[in-house]
Amino acid sequence: MTQVNSWPISIKKTTFIRNKRFKSPLQKGAFFISILYASFFYLCSVEETQSMKLNYPKKERLKSHITIASLFTEGKSVSKYPLRLVYVPMDASEQSEKIKMGVSVSKKNFKKAVDRNYFKRVLRETYRLNQDLLLSHLDRPYAIMFFYQTKDRLSFEEINEKTIQLFHKFIIAIANDSKES
């Protein structure tokens, strides 16, 4: 076995490698190459996930009673079965976020809170995964409410597909609204 002093500094401090016994120098070299490849691919994947920023922070959650009331009184709607999206533009001066989003699942369709909470989690997750579709096309902030409107229990993949289609309809609707005004 070779001396520890001949190893690179970053590897000296790991106890796993110091205690590792190699039968041949070729085996030792293959081990270090595999560590280098693994660390390279890990760093690449970390950079990818940090650049995408797929998150749903508290700042983006729709909590204001006044805004929610204006959604139901003045809001416009876009739907793609079984989802519906109600939206209203907000003042750009008072909001730092482009979207304030809330979700709702009817108690009429799902009597048990467990079922309602499951579909609310699914809606939030589909929003989180596809929010880049919306953010890249918005020129001003919007408050949106996302509804699941059926008793049918669709799978995550089906809901995700419908969400993408709904977001495309929403983008077209706000483009038409901006042309009219």
Side-chain angles (χ1 to χ4, degrees):
M1 186 171 149
T2 60
Q3 295 180 358
V4 175
N5 294 337
S6 64
W7 293 6
I9 294 171
S10 61
I11 297 176
K12 277 184 191 176
K13 297 183 180 181
T14 58
T15 56
F16 172 73
I17 295 174
R18 265 192 255 152
N19 297 335
K20 183 88 172 146
R21 303 279 189 237
F22 298 104
K23 294 182 180 174
S24 70
L26 185 63
Q27 194 179 29
K28 179 181 173 183
F31 177 75
F32 286 118
I33 289 173
S34 66
I35 287 178
L36 289 174
Y37 276 126
S39 61
F40 172 74
F41 288 118
Y42 171 76
L43 291 174
C44 289
S45 66
V46 167
E47 287 178 14
E48 268 184 33
T49 55
Q50 288 176 349
S51 66
M52 284 191 256
K53 288 187 179 177
L54 297 176
N55 57 5
Y56 179 51
K58 284 188 176 183
K59 297 184 284 189
E60 288 184 13
R61 295 183 185 167
L62 182 61
K63 296 179 183 178
S64 169
H65 293 287
I66 297 168
T67 309
I68 293 171
S70 71
L71 270 170
F72 289 107
T73 56
E74 308 163 8
K76 297 181 180 179
S77 176
V78 177
S79 63
K80 180 69 180 169
Y81 176 82
L83 305 174
R84 186 169 66 126
L85 187 107
V86 178
Y87 65 95
V88 66
M90 297 188 313
D91 295 332
S93 59
E94 65 186 44
Q95 294 298 329
S96 62
E97 299 298 319
K98 280 191 168 183
I99 293 180
K100 291 278 191 179
M101 200 272 294
V103 295
S104 178
V105 178
S106 174
K107 193 172 186 177
K108 177 180 160 185
N109 295 332
F110 296 102
K111 303 295 184 204
K112 294 182 180 178
V114 172
D115 297 331
R116 290 193 303 275
N117 291 338
Y118 169 76
F119 283 104
K120 285 193 276 188
R121 278 195 306 272
V122 168
L123 291 177
R124 281 189 214 106
E125 182 66 9
T126 58
Y127 164 75
R128 187 186 71 82
L129 293 173
N130 300 304
Q131 69 184 346
D132 56 335
L133 292 172
L134 297 179
L135 295 175
S136 61
H137 292 90
L138 295 180
D139 54 348
R140 63 188 205 179
Y142 282 89
I144 63 173
M145 192 74 148
F146 205 18
F147 295 97
Y148 188 83
Q149 295 188 305
T150 185
K151 290 183 180 181
D152 300 337
R153 295 173 185 269
L154 299 179
S155 68
F156 175 82
E157 290 78 20
E158 293 171 321
I159 294 173
N160 194 28
E161 181 182 319
K162 299 291 184 178
T163 302
I164 293 169
Q165 294 170 359
L166 181 68
F167 286 172
H168 285 298
K169 282 181 85 171
F170 173 63
I171 291 165
I172 292 168
I174 60 172
N176 291 338
D177 289 346
S178 64
K179 287 178 185 177
E180 290 174 4
S181 54

